[in-house]
Amino acid sequence: MPSAASGFPLSNGVKIPCIGLGTWQIPDNQELVRHIHKAVEIGYRHIDTAHIYGNERSVGEAVRTCGMPRDKIFVTSKLWNADRGYKETLAAFDTTLKTLGLDYLDLFLIHWPAARGEAMTWQSINSGTWRAMEEIYESGRVRSIGVSNFLIHHLVPLLARARIAPMVNQLEFHPGYMQAPTVEFCQSRGIQVEAWSPLGRGALIHHPLLSEIGAKYGVTGAQVALRWALQHGAIVLPKSMNAERLKQNTELFGFSISSEDMAAIDAMPQTAFSGLDPDHVTF
Ligand code: A2P
């Protein structure tokens, strides 16, 4: 039976566990260390952090002390917007690795595309950043590289200049906000999609359609939202500070959503969108 540790293969052959633990907004302290230990005990093998979350120190400590060999835990971090550019990216990666206290990362992502200002400027910033990502990958200090929040018009110029294509694109993806054109674009090019806020930051957990479909399968609306993303081929990164819900979010393999129910969820009007449009974010 598949589990949270079951892997999706990336384009370079690296396996990435299909359920990851999101850590956004979780403070950098011993509670987070204990929380990750608990998650590992439950079966999580994939932890997602970012420089801007400010918790890399505790994430690294938890990975080093969780009792599992380092190569059994998949660790992702992300380059913050202030660190874009070739030299800055190389330095920021060193800082991230040092803060985590790890020898290597499993995945490093550009957190948001440069997207404002003159057309040529943002494209060259992204390709300078990507050149550094490629070098870091070739140095062997990261097992895979990718982007986050890149839409088609950010990906096309990046791919045109890249020597190594991004292996992952982490996007807002949940019922009511499925960004189908970008997801299809990525999937047709072998770029693995990861879903951030797969529960719409909690806003979907009591959604009537998801709860109704869940009742049919004997699961919760949250489990329906997560399973729906997996059935679309996306990796999910749910977040919960509660041990029961952490466990529940890994119990996604005892049922399968019918194509009729998948279509009903796909047809939901826009719901629980974060409002974060990559071309217009102000950070
Ligand atoms: P809690 O930490 O109290 O469990 P997202 O991952 O989309 O950002 O959503 C995170 C939010 O969803 C958190 O508020 C979390 O609250 C809640 N949540 C996570 N898993 C579940 C679940 N299985 N059932 C209900 N709420 C959940």
Side-chain angles (χ1 to χ4, degrees):
M1 170 120 139
S3 69
S6 300
F8 282 12
L10 298 179
S11 57
N12 65 346
V14 165
K15 284 247 175 77
I16 178 167
C18 62
I19 302 175
L21 179 70
T23 65
W24 180 54
Q25 288 186 320
I26 308 184
D28 192 25
N29 58 30
Q30 286 305 306
E31 197 187 340
L32 174 55
V33 175
R34 284 192 295 274
H35 179 63
I36 294 174
H37 286 178
K38 181 77 201 165
V40 169
E41 196 185 308
I42 288 168
Y44 287 81
R45 295 292 179 266
H46 174 173
I47 318 291
D48 182 274
T49 183
H51 177 72
I52 195 66
Y53 299 172
N55 59 20
E56 285 173 319
R57 198 189 53 79
S58 300
V59 168
E61 180 181 336
V63 170
R64 285 182 274 109
T65 57
C66 69
M68 297 293 293
R70 169 68 188 89
D71 66 358
K72 296 286 183 251
I73 309 284
F74 192 99
V75 184
T76 301
S77 194
K78 311 184 194 85
L79 176 87
W80 187 238
N81 303 351
D83 297 318
R84 289 177 184 132
Y86 174 73
K87 276 197 206 141
E88 293 83 351
T89 299
L90 294 178
F93 179 78
D94 288 345
T95 303
T96 272
L97 218 49
K98 199 165 161 206
T99 310
L100 285 160
L102 300 176
D103 298 333
Y104 69 92
L105 263 189
D106 293 284
L107 176 62
F108 194 45
L109 303 175
I110 302 179
H111 205 148
W112 291 88
R116 283 170 296 140
E118 282 177 52
M120 284 316 292
T121 310
W122 66 259
Q123 294 187 10
S124 60
I125 293 171
N126 287 334
S127 57
T129 304
W130 190 252
R131 197 155 54 82
M133 301 288 281
E134 291 173 327
E135 272 187 36
I136 297 164
Y137 176 66
E138 287 170 330
S139 77
R141 290 174 303 153
V142 65
R143 296 175 67 228
S144 48
I145 49 176
V147 295
S148 181
N149 302 301
F150 274 55
L151 306 180
I152 296 174
H153 60 279
H154 308 121
L155 287 165
V156 168
L158 187 88
L159 287 166
R161 299 193 202 178
R163 285 186 300 111
I164 302 169
M167 292 141 202
V168 167
N169 189 9
Q170 187 180 121
L171 294 168
E172 179 171 1
F173 181 78
H174 53 71
Y177 199 70
M178 60 186 298
Q179 308 206 64
T182 303
V183 169
E184 279 163 25
F185 180 92
C186 289
Q187 292 182 338
S188 69
R189 284 159 182 79
I191 301 172
Q192 174 66 51
V193 171
E194 293 186 332
W196 64 253
S197 281
L199 303 171
R201 302 175 186 207
L204 292 169
I205 57 182
H206 299 303
H207 189 281
L209 176 66
L210 302 177
S211 304
E212 187 191 307
I213 291 174
K216 282 208 304 210
Y217 300 105
V219 298
T220 65
Q223 287 169 305
V224 170
L226 297 174
R227 175 76 201 191
W228 170 88
L230 288 180
Q231 285 185 217
H232 273 300
I235 283 164
V236 290
L237 304 168
K239 191 167 62 254
S240 176
M241 287 311 286
N242 170 281
E244 266 311 301
R245 292 191 284 277
L246 264 185
K247 184 161 180 291
Q248 186 191 117
N249 294 346
T250 66
E251 292 169 343
L252 308 177
F253 304 99
F255 70 107
S256 169
I257 303 173
S258 70
S259 48
E260 202 174 64
D261 289 334
M262 286 295 285
I265 302 169
D266 289 356
M268 273 170 61
Q270 182 170 301
T271 311
F273 171 44
S274 66
L276 297 174
D277 171 346
D279 283 313
H280 296 106
V281 292
T282 51
F283 41 76

PDB file of all heavy atoms in Angstrom, residues 51 56 77-99 105 108 132-133 136 141:
ATOM      1  N   HIS A  51      13.863  29.966   3.249  1.00  0.00           N
ATOM      2  CA  HIS A  51      14.632  30.959   4.005  1.00  0.00           C
ATOM      3  C   HIS A  51      13.691  31.950   4.695  1.00  0.00           C
ATOM      4  O   HIS A  51      13.853  32.255   5.879  1.00  0.00           O
ATOM      5  CB  HIS A  51      15.593  31.685   3.063  1.00  0.00           C
ATOM      6  CG  HIS A  51      16.359  32.765   3.757  1.00  0.00           C
ATOM      7  ND1 HIS A  51      17.362  32.496   4.664  1.00  0.00           N
ATOM      8  CD2 HIS A  51      16.224  34.115   3.708  1.00  0.00           C
ATOM      9  CE1 HIS A  51      17.827  33.644   5.134  1.00  0.00           C
ATOM     10  NE2 HIS A  51      17.160  34.629   4.575  1.00  0.00           N
ATOM     11  N   GLU A  56      14.599  27.604   9.381  1.00  0.00           N
ATOM     12  CA  GLU A  56      15.530  26.588   8.850  1.00  0.00           C
ATOM     13  C   GLU A  56      16.387  25.976   9.971  1.00  0.00           C
ATOM     14  O   GLU A  56      16.733  24.804   9.909  1.00  0.00           O
ATOM     15  CB  GLU A  56      16.436  27.207   7.775  1.00  0.00           C
ATOM     16  CG  GLU A  56      15.741  27.440   6.431  1.00  0.00           C
ATOM     17  CD  GLU A  56      16.611  28.203   5.447  1.00  0.00           C
ATOM     18  OE1 GLU A  56      17.299  29.158   5.864  1.00  0.00           O
ATOM     19  OE2 GLU A  56      16.600  27.847   4.257  1.00  0.00           O
ATOM     20  N   SER A  77      14.313  23.648   0.592  1.00  0.00           N
ATOM     21  CA  SER A  77      14.264  25.045   1.009  1.00  0.00           C
ATOM     22  C   SER A  77      14.186  25.928  -0.241  1.00  0.00           C
ATOM     23  O   SER A  77      14.269  25.416  -1.368  1.00  0.00           O
ATOM     24  CB  SER A  77      15.446  25.435   1.903  1.00  0.00           C
ATOM     25  OG  SER A  77      15.143  26.694   2.507  1.00  0.00           O
ATOM     26  N   LYS A  78      14.000  27.224   0.002  1.00  0.00           N
ATOM     27  CA  LYS A  78      13.736  28.117  -1.132  1.00  0.00           C
ATOM     28  C   LYS A  78      14.519  29.417  -1.002  1.00  0.00           C
ATOM     29  O   LYS A  78      14.698  29.930   0.101  1.00  0.00           O
ATOM     30  CB  LYS A  78      12.238  28.453  -1.196  1.00  0.00           C
ATOM     31  CG  LYS A  78      11.344  27.226  -1.103  1.00  0.00           C
ATOM     32  CD  LYS A  78       9.870  27.545  -1.252  1.00  0.00           C
ATOM     33  CE  LYS A  78       9.024  26.360  -0.819  1.00  0.00           C
ATOM     34  NZ  LYS A  78       8.764  26.322   0.626  1.00  0.00           N
ATOM     35  N   LEU A  79      14.917  29.911  -2.156  1.00  0.00           N
ATOM     36  CA  LEU A  79      15.671  31.166  -2.249  1.00  0.00           C
ATOM     37  C   LEU A  79      14.724  32.351  -2.105  1.00  0.00           C
ATOM     38  O   LEU A  79      13.737  32.451  -2.855  1.00  0.00           O
ATOM     39  CB  LEU A  79      16.318  31.221  -3.646  1.00  0.00           C
ATOM     40  CG  LEU A  79      17.072  32.508  -3.946  1.00  0.00           C
ATOM     41  CD1 LEU A  79      18.499  32.386  -3.443  1.00  0.00           C
ATOM     42  CD2 LEU A  79      17.040  32.842  -5.423  1.00  0.00           C
ATOM     43  N   TRP A  80      15.025  33.262  -1.179  1.00  0.00           N
ATOM     44  CA  TRP A  80      14.121  34.401  -1.019  1.00  0.00           C
ATOM     45  C   TRP A  80      14.361  35.474  -2.085  1.00  0.00           C
ATOM     46  O   TRP A  80      15.431  35.561  -2.683  1.00  0.00           O
ATOM     47  CB  TRP A  80      14.181  34.976   0.408  1.00  0.00           C
ATOM     48  CG  TRP A  80      13.128  36.022   0.579  1.00  0.00           C
ATOM     49  CD1 TRP A  80      13.308  37.332   0.939  1.00  0.00           C
ATOM     50  CD2 TRP A  80      11.716  35.876   0.339  1.00  0.00           C
ATOM     51  NE1 TRP A  80      12.090  37.992   0.937  1.00  0.00           N
ATOM     52  CE2 TRP A  80      11.096  37.127   0.560  1.00  0.00           C
ATOM     53  CE3 TRP A  80      10.900  34.802  -0.074  1.00  0.00           C
ATOM     54  CZ2 TRP A  80       9.716  37.341   0.398  1.00  0.00           C
ATOM     55  CZ3 TRP A  80       9.524  35.021  -0.233  1.00  0.00           C
ATOM     56  CH2 TRP A  80       8.956  36.276   0.010  1.00  0.00           C
ATOM     57  N   ASN A  81      13.344  36.287  -2.290  1.00  0.00           N
ATOM     58  CA  ASN A  81      13.333  37.287  -3.361  1.00  0.00           C
ATOM     59  C   ASN A  81      14.488  38.290  -3.265  1.00  0.00           C
ATOM     60  O   ASN A  81      15.012  38.732  -4.286  1.00  0.00           O
ATOM     61  CB  ASN A  81      12.005  38.053  -3.336  1.00  0.00           C
ATOM     62  CG  ASN A  81      10.809  37.115  -3.470  1.00  0.00           C
ATOM     63  OD1 ASN A  81      10.986  35.930  -3.752  1.00  0.00           O
ATOM     64  ND2 ASN A  81       9.610  37.615  -3.261  1.00  0.00           N
ATOM     65  N   ALA A  82      14.885  38.647  -2.035  1.00  0.00           N
ATOM     66  CA  ALA A  82      15.969  39.618  -1.859  1.00  0.00           C
ATOM     67  C   ALA A  82      17.308  39.041  -2.318  1.00  0.00           C
ATOM     68  O   ALA A  82      18.286  39.786  -2.460  1.00  0.00           O
ATOM     69  CB  ALA A  82      16.048  40.023  -0.390  1.00  0.00           C
ATOM     70  N   ASP A  83      17.380  37.734  -2.521  1.00  0.00           N
ATOM     71  CA  ASP A  83      18.640  37.072  -2.872  1.00  0.00           C
ATOM     72  C   ASP A  83      18.718  36.689  -4.344  1.00  0.00           C
ATOM     73  O   ASP A  83      19.579  35.911  -4.742  1.00  0.00           O
ATOM     74  CB  ASP A  83      18.824  35.819  -2.002  1.00  0.00           C
ATOM     75  CG  ASP A  83      18.925  36.180  -0.531  1.00  0.00           C
ATOM     76  OD1 ASP A  83      19.605  37.174  -0.222  1.00  0.00           O
ATOM     77  OD2 ASP A  83      18.317  35.484   0.292  1.00  0.00           O
ATOM     78  N   ARG A  84      17.825  37.234  -5.171  1.00  0.00           N
ATOM     79  CA  ARG A  84      17.872  36.893  -6.593  1.00  0.00           C
ATOM     80  C   ARG A  84      19.163  37.411  -7.234  1.00  0.00           C
ATOM     81  O   ARG A  84      19.726  38.406  -6.782  1.00  0.00           O
ATOM     82  CB  ARG A  84      16.704  37.541  -7.329  1.00  0.00           C
ATOM     83  CG  ARG A  84      15.383  36.942  -7.012  1.00  0.00           C
ATOM     84  CD  ARG A  84      14.316  37.744  -7.762  1.00  0.00           C
ATOM     85  NE  ARG A  84      12.998  37.283  -7.425  1.00  0.00           N
ATOM     86  CZ  ARG A  84      11.995  38.097  -7.094  1.00  0.00           C
ATOM     87  NH1 ARG A  84      12.171  39.401  -7.053  1.00  0.00           N
ATOM     88  NH2 ARG A  84      10.820  37.592  -6.814  1.00  0.00           N
ATOM     89  N   GLY A  85      19.542  36.755  -8.335  1.00  0.00           N
ATOM     90  CA  GLY A  85      20.757  37.154  -9.052  1.00  0.00           C
ATOM     91  C   GLY A  85      21.812  36.079  -8.862  1.00  0.00           C
ATOM     92  O   GLY A  85      21.737  35.277  -7.917  1.00  0.00           O
ATOM     93  N   TYR A  86      22.780  36.039  -9.763  1.00  0.00           N
ATOM     94  CA  TYR A  86      23.750  34.939  -9.786  1.00  0.00           C
ATOM     95  C   TYR A  86      24.559  34.823  -8.491  1.00  0.00           C
ATOM     96  O   TYR A  86      24.483  33.823  -7.781  1.00  0.00           O
ATOM     97  CB  TYR A  86      24.662  35.126 -11.005  1.00  0.00           C
ATOM     98  CG  TYR A  86      25.800  34.126 -11.056  1.00  0.00           C
ATOM     99  CD1 TYR A  86      25.563  32.794 -11.391  1.00  0.00           C
ATOM    100  CD2 TYR A  86      27.096  34.516 -10.747  1.00  0.00           C
ATOM    101  CE1 TYR A  86      26.593  31.867 -11.413  1.00  0.00           C
ATOM    102  CE2 TYR A  86      28.139  33.595 -10.779  1.00  0.00           C
ATOM    103  CZ  TYR A  86      27.871  32.288 -11.110  1.00  0.00           C
ATOM    104  OH  TYR A  86      28.891  31.368 -11.125  1.00  0.00           O
ATOM    105  N   LYS A  87      25.300  35.883  -8.153  1.00  0.00           N
ATOM    106  CA  LYS A  87      26.186  35.820  -6.971  1.00  0.00           C
ATOM    107  C   LYS A  87      25.379  35.684  -5.689  1.00  0.00           C
ATOM    108  O   LYS A  87      25.752  34.958  -4.762  1.00  0.00           O
ATOM    109  CB  LYS A  87      26.989  37.126  -6.875  1.00  0.00           C
ATOM    110  CG  LYS A  87      28.215  37.134  -7.724  1.00  0.00           C
ATOM    111  CD  LYS A  87      29.117  38.262  -7.229  1.00  0.00           C
ATOM    112  CE  LYS A  87      30.008  38.761  -8.328  1.00  0.00           C
ATOM    113  NZ  LYS A  87      30.202  40.195  -8.338  1.00  0.00           N
ATOM    114  N   GLU A  88      24.291  36.417  -5.645  1.00  0.00           N
ATOM    115  CA  GLU A  88      23.450  36.423  -4.443  1.00  0.00           C
ATOM    116  C   GLU A  88      22.879  35.032  -4.173  1.00  0.00           C
ATOM    117  O   GLU A  88      22.776  34.586  -3.028  1.00  0.00           O
ATOM    118  CB  GLU A  88      22.295  37.432  -4.619  1.00  0.00           C
ATOM    119  CG  GLU A  88      22.720  38.885  -4.679  1.00  0.00           C
ATOM    120  CD  GLU A  88      23.198  39.344  -6.067  1.00  0.00           C
ATOM    121  OE1 GLU A  88      23.377  38.501  -6.979  1.00  0.00           O
ATOM    122  OE2 GLU A  88      23.401  40.559  -6.233  1.00  0.00           O
ATOM    123  N   THR A  89      22.504  34.339  -5.247  1.00  0.00           N
ATOM    124  CA  THR A  89      21.921  32.996  -5.090  1.00  0.00           C
ATOM    125  C   THR A  89      22.959  32.024  -4.539  1.00  0.00           C
ATOM    126  O   THR A  89      22.669  31.216  -3.642  1.00  0.00           O
ATOM    127  CB  THR A  89      21.373  32.499  -6.452  1.00  0.00           C
ATOM    128  OG1 THR A  89      20.365  33.413  -6.867  1.00  0.00           O
ATOM    129  CG2 THR A  89      20.792  31.094  -6.351  1.00  0.00           C
ATOM    130  N   LEU A  90      24.191  32.114  -5.073  1.00  0.00           N
ATOM    131  CA  LEU A  90      25.251  31.212  -4.578  1.00  0.00           C
ATOM    132  C   LEU A  90      25.449  31.439  -3.080  1.00  0.00           C
ATOM    133  O   LEU A  90      25.525  30.482  -2.298  1.00  0.00           O
ATOM    134  CB  LEU A  90      26.569  31.465  -5.325  1.00  0.00           C
ATOM    135  CG  LEU A  90      26.592  31.133  -6.821  1.00  0.00           C
ATOM    136  CD1 LEU A  90      27.945  31.495  -7.425  1.00  0.00           C
ATOM    137  CD2 LEU A  90      26.279  29.661  -7.084  1.00  0.00           C
ATOM    138  N   ALA A  91      25.495  32.721  -2.676  1.00  0.00           N
ATOM    139  CA  ALA A  91      25.720  33.035  -1.253  1.00  0.00           C
ATOM    140  C   ALA A  91      24.524  32.594  -0.413  1.00  0.00           C
ATOM    141  O   ALA A  91      24.687  32.051   0.693  1.00  0.00           O
ATOM    142  CB  ALA A  91      25.970  34.536  -1.095  1.00  0.00           C
ATOM    143  N   ALA A  92      23.311  32.820  -0.929  1.00  0.00           N
ATOM    144  CA  ALA A  92      22.105  32.481  -0.154  1.00  0.00           C
ATOM    145  C   ALA A  92      22.008  30.969   0.055  1.00  0.00           C
ATOM    146  O   ALA A  92      21.571  30.504   1.119  1.00  0.00           O
ATOM    147  CB  ALA A  92      20.863  32.995  -0.875  1.00  0.00           C
ATOM    148  N   PHE A  93      22.416  30.205  -0.950  1.00  0.00           N
ATOM    149  CA  PHE A  93      22.362  28.748  -0.790  1.00  0.00           C
ATOM    150  C   PHE A  93      23.315  28.314   0.331  1.00  0.00           C
ATOM    151  O   PHE A  93      22.956  27.479   1.178  1.00  0.00           O
ATOM    152  CB  PHE A  93      22.727  28.029  -2.099  1.00  0.00           C
ATOM    153  CG  PHE A  93      22.701  26.532  -1.949  1.00  0.00           C
ATOM    154  CD1 PHE A  93      21.501  25.838  -1.955  1.00  0.00           C
ATOM    155  CD2 PHE A  93      23.883  25.814  -1.754  1.00  0.00           C
ATOM    156  CE1 PHE A  93      21.462  24.458  -1.781  1.00  0.00           C
ATOM    157  CE2 PHE A  93      23.858  24.431  -1.577  1.00  0.00           C
ATOM    158  CZ  PHE A  93      22.644  23.757  -1.597  1.00  0.00           C
ATOM    159  N   ASP A  94      24.520  28.909   0.348  1.00  0.00           N
ATOM    160  CA  ASP A  94      25.483  28.575   1.420  1.00  0.00           C
ATOM    161  C   ASP A  94      24.876  28.877   2.786  1.00  0.00           C
ATOM    162  O   ASP A  94      25.006  28.091   3.730  1.00  0.00           O
ATOM    163  CB  ASP A  94      26.776  29.389   1.249  1.00  0.00           C
ATOM    164  CG  ASP A  94      27.608  28.916   0.063  1.00  0.00           C
ATOM    165  OD1 ASP A  94      27.338  27.800  -0.435  1.00  0.00           O
ATOM    166  OD2 ASP A  94      28.503  29.659  -0.374  1.00  0.00           O
ATOM    167  N   THR A  95      24.212  30.041   2.883  1.00  0.00           N
ATOM    168  CA  THR A  95      23.608  30.431   4.165  1.00  0.00           C
ATOM    169  C   THR A  95      22.517  29.433   4.571  1.00  0.00           C
ATOM    170  O   THR A  95      22.438  29.015   5.728  1.00  0.00           O
ATOM    171  CB  THR A  95      23.001  31.858   4.044  1.00  0.00           C
ATOM    172  OG1 THR A  95      24.051  32.729   3.641  1.00  0.00           O
ATOM    173  CG2 THR A  95      22.402  32.334   5.349  1.00  0.00           C
ATOM    174  N   THR A  96      21.684  29.062   3.616  1.00  0.00           N
ATOM    175  CA  THR A  96      20.597  28.113   3.913  1.00  0.00           C
ATOM    176  C   THR A  96      21.163  26.786   4.431  1.00  0.00           C
ATOM    177  O   THR A  96      20.705  26.241   5.441  1.00  0.00           O
ATOM    178  CB  THR A  96      19.736  27.913   2.635  1.00  0.00           C
ATOM    179  OG1 THR A  96      18.736  28.922   2.635  1.00  0.00           O
ATOM    180  CG2 THR A  96      19.022  26.583   2.594  1.00  0.00           C
ATOM    181  N   LEU A  97      22.184  26.290   3.742  1.00  0.00           N
ATOM    182  CA  LEU A  97      22.765  25.003   4.144  1.00  0.00           C
ATOM    183  C   LEU A  97      23.384  25.094   5.542  1.00  0.00           C
ATOM    184  O   LEU A  97      23.218  24.199   6.378  1.00  0.00           O
ATOM    185  CB  LEU A  97      23.828  24.631   3.106  1.00  0.00           C
ATOM    186  CG  LEU A  97      23.961  23.167   2.719  1.00  0.00           C
ATOM    187  CD1 LEU A  97      22.629  22.537   2.378  1.00  0.00           C
ATOM    188  CD2 LEU A  97      24.924  23.022   1.545  1.00  0.00           C
ATOM    189  N   LYS A  98      24.058  26.223   5.785  1.00  0.00           N
ATOM    190  CA  LYS A  98      24.689  26.437   7.083  1.00  0.00           C
ATOM    191  C   LYS A  98      23.632  26.561   8.182  1.00  0.00           C
ATOM    192  O   LYS A  98      23.767  25.972   9.264  1.00  0.00           O
ATOM    193  CB  LYS A  98      25.525  27.730   7.005  1.00  0.00           C
ATOM    194  CG  LYS A  98      26.556  27.836   8.059  1.00  0.00           C
ATOM    195  CD  LYS A  98      27.557  28.909   7.708  1.00  0.00           C
ATOM    196  CE  LYS A  98      28.289  29.301   8.976  1.00  0.00           C
ATOM    197  NZ  LYS A  98      28.802  30.637   8.952  1.00  0.00           N
ATOM    198  N   THR A  99      22.571  27.296   7.910  1.00  0.00           N
ATOM    199  CA  THR A  99      21.520  27.478   8.919  1.00  0.00           C
ATOM    200  C   THR A  99      20.856  26.133   9.230  1.00  0.00           C
ATOM    201  O   THR A  99      20.557  25.821  10.390  1.00  0.00           O
ATOM    202  CB  THR A  99      20.460  28.489   8.426  1.00  0.00           C
ATOM    203  OG1 THR A  99      21.138  29.656   7.973  1.00  0.00           O
ATOM    204  CG2 THR A  99      19.495  28.870   9.529  1.00  0.00           C
ATOM    205  N   LEU A 105      21.102  19.622   0.337  1.00  0.00           N
ATOM    206  CA  LEU A 105      19.632  19.745   0.304  1.00  0.00           C
ATOM    207  C   LEU A 105      19.112  18.758  -0.737  1.00  0.00           C
ATOM    208  O   LEU A 105      19.831  18.413  -1.683  1.00  0.00           O
ATOM    209  CB  LEU A 105      19.240  21.132  -0.197  1.00  0.00           C
ATOM    210  CG  LEU A 105      18.902  22.240   0.776  1.00  0.00           C
ATOM    211  CD1 LEU A 105      18.345  23.433  -0.011  1.00  0.00           C
ATOM    212  CD2 LEU A 105      17.860  21.780   1.782  1.00  0.00           C
ATOM    213  N   PHE A 108      16.101  22.639  -3.973  1.00  0.00           N
ATOM    214  CA  PHE A 108      16.204  24.090  -3.731  1.00  0.00           C
ATOM    215  C   PHE A 108      15.370  24.767  -4.814  1.00  0.00           C
ATOM    216  O   PHE A 108      15.508  24.437  -6.001  1.00  0.00           O
ATOM    217  CB  PHE A 108      17.675  24.517  -3.805  1.00  0.00           C
ATOM    218  CG  PHE A 108      17.958  25.901  -3.256  1.00  0.00           C
ATOM    219  CD1 PHE A 108      17.423  26.324  -2.051  1.00  0.00           C
ATOM    220  CD2 PHE A 108      18.802  26.775  -3.950  1.00  0.00           C
ATOM    221  CE1 PHE A 108      17.700  27.598  -1.534  1.00  0.00           C
ATOM    222  CE2 PHE A 108      19.091  28.040  -3.443  1.00  0.00           C
ATOM    223  CZ  PHE A 108      18.540  28.447  -2.234  1.00  0.00           C
ATOM    224  N   ALA A 132      22.928  30.193 -11.381  1.00  0.00           N
ATOM    225  CA  ALA A 132      23.513  29.818 -10.083  1.00  0.00           C
ATOM    226  C   ALA A 132      22.897  28.499  -9.586  1.00  0.00           C
ATOM    227  O   ALA A 132      23.606  27.634  -9.050  1.00  0.00           O
ATOM    228  CB  ALA A 132      23.285  30.927  -9.063  1.00  0.00           C
ATOM    229  N   MET A 133      21.601  28.345  -9.768  1.00  0.00           N
ATOM    230  CA  MET A 133      20.936  27.106  -9.336  1.00  0.00           C
ATOM    231  C   MET A 133      21.564  25.904 -10.067  1.00  0.00           C
ATOM    232  O   MET A 133      21.819  24.851  -9.465  1.00  0.00           O
ATOM    233  CB  MET A 133      19.432  27.145  -9.647  1.00  0.00           C
ATOM    234  CG  MET A 133      18.658  28.266  -9.009  1.00  0.00           C
ATOM    235  SD  MET A 133      18.404  28.119  -7.230  1.00  0.00           S
ATOM    236  CE  MET A 133      17.067  26.957  -7.136  1.00  0.00           C
ATOM    237  N   ILE A 136      24.944  25.140  -8.568  1.00  0.00           N
ATOM    238  CA  ILE A 136      24.822  24.491  -7.250  1.00  0.00           C
ATOM    239  C   ILE A 136      24.468  23.011  -7.457  1.00  0.00           C
ATOM    240  O   ILE A 136      25.024  22.127  -6.809  1.00  0.00           O
ATOM    241  CB  ILE A 136      23.759  25.209  -6.384  1.00  0.00           C
ATOM    242  CG1 ILE A 136      24.178  26.653  -6.089  1.00  0.00           C
ATOM    243  CG2 ILE A 136      23.537  24.448  -5.081  1.00  0.00           C
ATOM    244  CD1 ILE A 136      23.040  27.535  -5.582  1.00  0.00           C
ATOM    245  N   ARG A 141      25.671  19.650  -4.192  1.00  0.00           N
ATOM    246  CA  ARG A 141      25.172  20.017  -2.858  1.00  0.00           C
ATOM    247  C   ARG A 141      23.648  20.085  -2.787  1.00  0.00           C
ATOM    248  O   ARG A 141      23.076  20.385  -1.749  1.00  0.00           O
ATOM    249  CB  ARG A 141      25.808  21.323  -2.398  1.00  0.00           C
ATOM    250  CG  ARG A 141      27.302  21.142  -2.088  1.00  0.00           C
ATOM    251  CD  ARG A 141      27.944  22.467  -1.779  1.00  0.00           C
ATOM    252  NE  ARG A 141      27.749  23.367  -2.908  1.00  0.00           N
ATOM    253  CZ  ARG A 141      27.712  24.687  -2.792  1.00  0.00           C
ATOM    254  NH1 ARG A 141      27.846  25.255  -1.622  1.00  0.00           N
ATOM    255  NH2 ARG A 141      27.541  25.444  -3.859  1.00  0.00           N
TER     256      ARG A 141
END
